[in-house]
Amino acid sequence: MRRSHVTTVSLLVALALAACTNAKDVLEPSAITPPATSAQTLPATSGNTAATVPAPAGTTAGAPATVTTPVTSAQSAAILAKTRLQIAPIVGASVEAATPLTAELQTRARQRGITLAGSADQTATHVLKGYFSTMSEGTDTTVIYVWDVYDPAGNRLHRINGQQKAPSVKSGDSGGGDSWKGVSPATMQAIADQTIDQFAAWLGGKAG
């Protein structure tokens, strides 16, 4: 009986030691490694989420640029509507060439919403002075033009210049006063359109 009792006690002690050994295995640091690994993946996920945030933000920030365009156009139209342009006598061009030029300047200005002021009008906001010359080469005539834009006080604000080449009606012109006979009304009308368009673009650019 005593031997059986001793054997039983020995078995119980062995089982207890085995249980303690298993408990130590569970508490090993290797058993906690998976949660630590999971914790390390969280910043990576958060980082990826944070990295994707600027993309929508950038898209949203770009949207106002599209919204601003109509506002600028409205401001530009408002400036043109308030403009009263006075055209000074043309210098350098013959009367025959200046007549279609002046007529087209008036037409184009109205098309662009610009009001023209008379020579005696004191309410003009801008004065346009044009200087013209021609250069003939063979059967071609080139019209060279310069426009100065002044405020009512006489301060020059802007300059428009260019040249327009057109077939000469009369051959043998040497570039003197007769060279204007080789300039067609269509050439002068094209210059007028370009002048008003550039003037309007300059005024519209000031809206920004």
Side-chain angles (χ1 to χ4, degrees), residues 28-123:
E28 285 293 328
S30 58
I32 323 174
T33 303
T37 305
S38 301
Q40 290 174 358
T41 56
L42 288 177
T45 306
S46 302
N48 292 338
T49 305
T52 55
V53 172
T59 307
T60 308
T66 308
V67 178
T68 331
T69 305
V71 176
T72 304
S73 299
Q75 291 176 348
S76 175
I79 289 179
L80 293 178
K82 293 178 181 179
T83 300
R84 295 182 61 83
L85 179 62
Q86 183 182 91
I87 301 174
I90 306 300
V91 177
S94 66
V95 176
E96 292 78 12
T99 299
L101 172 73
T102 304
E104 185 63 20
L105 284 172
Q106 297 171 353
T107 301
R108 193 67 166 187
R110 285 192 294 267
Q111 291 174 352
R112 299 304 299 266
I114 299 172
T115 303
L116 293 177
S119 57
D121 195 335
Q122 301 297 321
T123 64

Side-chain angles (χ1 to χ4, degrees), residues 88-103 105 130-135 141-145 147 169 173 175-185 187-189 191:
I90 306 300
V91 177
S94 66
V95 176
E96 292 78 12
T99 299
L101 172 73
T102 304
L105 284 172
Y131 308 90
F132 282 74
S133 63
T134 58
M135 180 179 64
T141 299
T142 301
V143 180
I144 302 169
Y145 59 91
W147 296 94
V169 177
D173 290 335
D178 292 338
S179 62
W180 282 107
K181 295 180 180 180
V183 178
S184 66
T187 299
M188 302 305 288
Q189 290 168 348
I191 292 175

